Amino acid sequence: MLTYIEPLYRPPSEADSLILQVTIGCSYNRCSFCSMYRSKRYEERSWDELKAEIDYVAEEYPSTRRVFLADGDALNINTEYMLKILDHLYRSFPKLERVSCYAMPKNLLQKSKQELVALRDAGLKLLYIGIESGSDTVLRKVTKGATSKGIIDGCLKAKSAGIQLSCMLILGLGGRRYSMEHAIASARVVSAIVPEYLAALTLLLDDVVRDEFMSKFGEPFEPLSDVEVLDELKMLVEHIEPREGKIIFRANHASNPYPIKAVLPDDRARTIALIDELKARPDRLKPSYLRRF
Ligand code: SF4
């Protein structure tokens, strides 16, 4: 049987995947804006539990093609254990095409290039990485536990190992004061990494972390209005200049005021024109009570 310790999260693009909870919670769990795993203490599930679950699903859904490894930073698992899990998954599901998981920049920095290559060869093909901001000021104020250099180094190491990346940024994370710095520095980091996919979410603070976020920010935090979020998004799109290739960009998360999809840099002008249109017609934006992080 499959058992999940709730709450359980997965990226929207993994809606049809088998979710296998190889870890519980997040090994870091201290980002001041994130309430996802505050109710959990980090632990790794035992081989006996995981093997029993994989064997059960292999009987019930032998045609499984995609597996997402939960929870918050499953890549924290040591490489040998992760290789054992991947090996059993691919042996159990003959049609399996892709295994993916969330990862933190520190998970990537802690693994060698050889380890990442071994994981890629074993079928770990896509990592979802919350980079949140490229600004070191903002990263420090939201206690992300990462620097822009660490993010770039970790992500480039994963890319050079052949692992695809889906990176996430959070619009509004620096508030009004750091909005421009957040947008431009994030564009610089993303342009250096050139992830295959980039998602921009919009900050919505859960009551569980609101006070902590405000206090750790270290100065009054002024949230952005919807139009200011669009200004920040426009600045981000204007400054993303991939050093090579293209980035599939999405700002269509449930937290965003309007769903935007683009390939950058090709769709830059069209996307900027759309953002300008939306700024002039804020009535087209999704009301805040319908959004969730
Ligand atoms: S944002 Fe990611 S790394 Fe930070 S606490 Fe939440 S799950 Fe953990």
Side-chain angles (χ1 to χ4, degrees), residues 26 28-31 33-34 36-37 72 104 132 144:
C26 165
Y28 180 65
N29 217 10
R30 292 200 291 280
C31 299
F33 55 88
C34 173
M36 290 163 75
Y37 303 106
M104 283 185 68
E132 332 300 5
K144 178 64 195 171

Side-chain angles (χ1 to χ4, degrees), residues 218-233:
E219 62 186 285
F221 177 83
E222 292 183 86
L224 300 189
S225 67
D226 287 348
V227 170
E228 287 167 330
V229 167
L230 290 171
D231 281 332
E232 190 173 287
L233 177 61

Side-chain angles (χ1 to χ4, degrees), residues 202-223:
T202 303
L203 181 70
L204 287 177
L205 285 174
D206 189 295
D207 288 345
V208 173
V209 292
R210 185 182 309 277
D211 288 350
E212 178 185 327
F213 178 89
M214 296 299 174
S215 126
K216 284 183 168 171
F217 202 76
E219 62 186 285
F221 177 83
E222 292 183 86

Side-chain angles (χ1 to χ4, degrees), residues 28-45:
Y28 180 65
N29 217 10
R30 292 200 291 280
C31 299
S32 65
F33 55 88
C34 173
S35 59
M36 290 163 75
Y37 303 106
R38 290 301 174 100
S39 59
K40 295 178 172 181
R41 222 173 69 194
Y42 178 77
E43 58 180 286
E44 294 168 6
R45 297 192 58 218

Side-chain angles (χ1 to χ4, degrees), residues 9-289:
Y9 297 94
R10 51 131 183 98
S13 50
E14 300 288 344
D16 297 326
S17 306
L18 162 67
I19 312 296
L20 182 69
Q21 202 169 24
V22 299
T23 58
I24 311 293
C26 165
S27 71
Y28 180 65
N29 217 10
R30 292 200 291 280
C31 299
S32 65
F33 55 88
C34 173
S35 59
M36 290 163 75
Y37 303 106
R38 290 301 174 100
S39 59
K40 295 178 172 181
R41 222 173 69 194
Y42 178 77
E43 58 180 286
E44 294 168 6
R45 297 192 58 218
S46 72
W47 174 244
D48 288 348
E49 283 177 320
L50 291 178
K51 181 173 182 308
E53 293 200 347
I54 295 169
D55 292 347
Y56 165 79
V57 185
E59 289 265 320
E60 297 288 317
Y61 306 100
S63 300
T64 296
R65 291 179 189 273
R66 289 186 172 186
V67 173
F68 176 76
L69 305 176
D71 273 344
D73 64 334
L75 195 67
N76 190 57
I77 285 185
N78 78 55
T79 302
E80 200 181 330
Y81 191 22
M82 186 62 103
L83 288 171
K84 186 172 176 176
I85 295 166
L86 291 167
D87 179 62
H88 195 56
L89 281 170
Y90 279 90
R91 282 177 196 276
S92 304
F93 300 104
K95 295 185 177 167
L96 187 58
E97 294 166 355
R98 178 178 100 182
V99 179
S100 59
C101 68
Y102 285 132
M104 283 185 68
K106 88 171 164 68
N107 304 144
L108 296 171
L109 294 173
Q110 283 166 350
K111 294 204 188 299
S112 67
K113 162 104 180 266
Q114 289 71 21
E115 287 178 284
L116 293 173
V117 169
L119 291 168
R120 169 65 183 78
D121 289 347
L124 183 65
K125 297 187 180 170
L126 174 66
L127 294 175
Y128 296 90
I129 303 185
I131 62 178
E132 332 300 5
S133 178
S135 153
D136 285 313
T137 309
V138 175
L139 288 168
R140 195 174 58 251
K141 283 180 168 291
V142 302
T143 56
K144 178 64 195 171
T147 62
S148 59
K149 180 177 183 315
I151 290 169
I152 293 172
D153 290 351
C155 288
L156 289 181
K157 196 186 334 176
K159 277 201 73 166
S160 70
I163 300 178
Q164 290 198 320
L165 300 180
S166 178
C167 291
M168 289 160 278
L169 294 169
I170 303 179
L171 299 170
L173 191 61
R176 198 167 279 151
R177 175 161 182 200
Y178 299 100
S179 182
M180 186 186 289
E181 174 179 338
H182 174 49
I184 292 174
S186 297
R188 182 186 68 80
V189 166
V190 166
S191 301
I193 299 170
V194 199
E196 280 74 12
Y197 308 96
L198 175 68
L201 288 62
T202 303
L203 181 70
L204 287 177
L205 285 174
D206 189 295
D207 288 345
V208 173
V209 292
R210 185 182 309 277
D211 288 350
E212 178 185 327
F213 178 89
M214 296 299 174
S215 126
K216 284 183 168 171
F217 202 76
E219 62 186 285
F221 177 83
E222 292 183 86
L224 300 189
S225 67
D226 287 348
V227 170
E228 287 167 330
V229 167
L230 290 171
D231 281 332
E232 190 173 287
L233 177 61
K234 181 176 171 181
M235 238 181 303
L236 176 74
V237 170
E238 279 172 343
H239 287 85
I240 290 178
E241 285 291 353
R243 59 180 167 76
E244 60 179 14
K246 299 177 194 304
I247 298 172
I248 296 174
F249 176 70
R250 298 282 181 264
N252 60 352
H253 185 257
S255 61
N256 294 117
Y258 192 88
I260 290 177
K261 298 178 179 181
V263 175
L264 296 175
D266 301 8
D267 298 335
R268 189 197 319 279
R270 177 184 67 73
T271 308
I272 289 171
L274 172 61
I275 295 170
D276 283 339
E277 259 176 63
L278 292 170
K279 281 176 58 186
R281 289 279 313 276
D283 55 300
R284 290 174 63 191
L285 304 179
K286 194 187 334 175
S288 57
Y289 61 86

